[in-house]
Each structure stands twice: as C-alpha cells, then as structure tokens.
Amino acid sequence: MTLRLGGDGAITGCTSLENPDLTVSGLTISGSFDAEKVLVASGTAAAPSYTFSGDTDNGLYYAGTNSIGLSTAGTNAILIDSSGNVGIGETSPSYKLHVKTGQVMFQETAAASNAVLRLKGSNTSTGGAIIAQSSANGSAPLEFYSGTTQTMRIDSS
C-alpha cells in the first residue's frame, strides 16, 4: 500500500489506515508530534538516532539489547544497561553507578582539583561531601567534608 500526503494534507492512495507502516527519511518536525510508537534507526554514540538541529553528535542512541546511551561530542557520556546499571564514561557498567574517568563534581567549595567523584547533600551551606581523588601512583586521599570544612581524611598512612 502506498500512502500519499497531498499539499492540502489529505491522505490518498489507500482504503484503510489500520496498522499502516510508514517509512519516512529526512523528516524534521517542528511543533508537537503525537504517536503511539515511533521506531527509528539504532544510531551510535557518534551518530545518535535522536539528536538536535545543528548539533547532530549529541543525543540518544540504542546501546544494545535493553540498553540506551546518551552521547555528547560523538562519544558515549552515559549508558544505562539492561540490569539498570549506569555508566558515566563507561560503556559496560559493572555497578549501579560506574564512573570511568573524568570528574563528577557537586561540591564546588571543597578544594580538590583532581577529584574523580564528589557527592554532596542538597544544602550547600551545611551539606557534606565525600571526595575521592585520583593520582598517577594511587596515593591520593579520600576526603570527607561538612560544609566546606574537612572533617576526615584517609590517606596511604
């Protein structure tokens, strides 16, 4: 069956619209779009299926069976796998939260320029933070803060 959309918006060329398959390529939607189910190509981190005008290497892509990925600058940024594990910078997360490299910073007032992970409460004036730092030789400390005051530090000694 072939569906034709005329200039006036009328659909011609068919007798029924029950369960039709419609294939469209190069479609740009502006305004609202309502559909029960939309199937798109799988995409990749470098060329995600759901993307943005003028920034096509950022978006959502199919990362494998029952897994989705978000990419930025054409590389995987966040992946959620079939077990519900979340990888940040990690394409095969082994834990509920698996951070590979780089920084996840929520506590700006605590000093640690090489932090790998910073966790902080929602109250910036009294909230605490745990900061795990990275170093080439593995000697960086694990620091705990209450507000901006360091309350505990675990180092190699």
Side-chain angles (χ1 to χ4, degrees), residues 32-127:
S32 63
F33 176 72
D34 186 16
E36 183 179 315
K37 183 178 184 180
V38 177
L39 300 174
V40 297
S42 297
T44 64
S49 298
Y50 293 96
T51 188
F52 305 93
S53 176
D55 198 1
T56 59
D57 61 353
N58 291 326
L60 180 69
Y61 68 97
Y62 171 79
T65 303
N66 297 317
S67 299
I68 60 170
L70 294 170
S71 64
T72 57
T75 59
N76 175 68
I78 299 174
L79 186 132
I80 304 171
D81 73 9
S82 60
S83 299
N85 294 341
V86 176
I88 299 176
E90 173 61 53
T91 57
S92 299
S94 304
Y95 312 99
K96 286 297 175 193
L97 177 60
H98 189 156
V99 180
K100 187 173 182 181
T101 59
Q103 297 182 3
V104 177
M105 290 189 273
F106 302 105
Q107 174 73 12
E108 294 302 325
T109 57
S113 61
N114 59 342
V116 174
L117 177 65
R118 295 183 187 195
L119 304 173
K120 179 182 108 36
S122 60
N123 186 331
T124 58
S125 62
T126 60

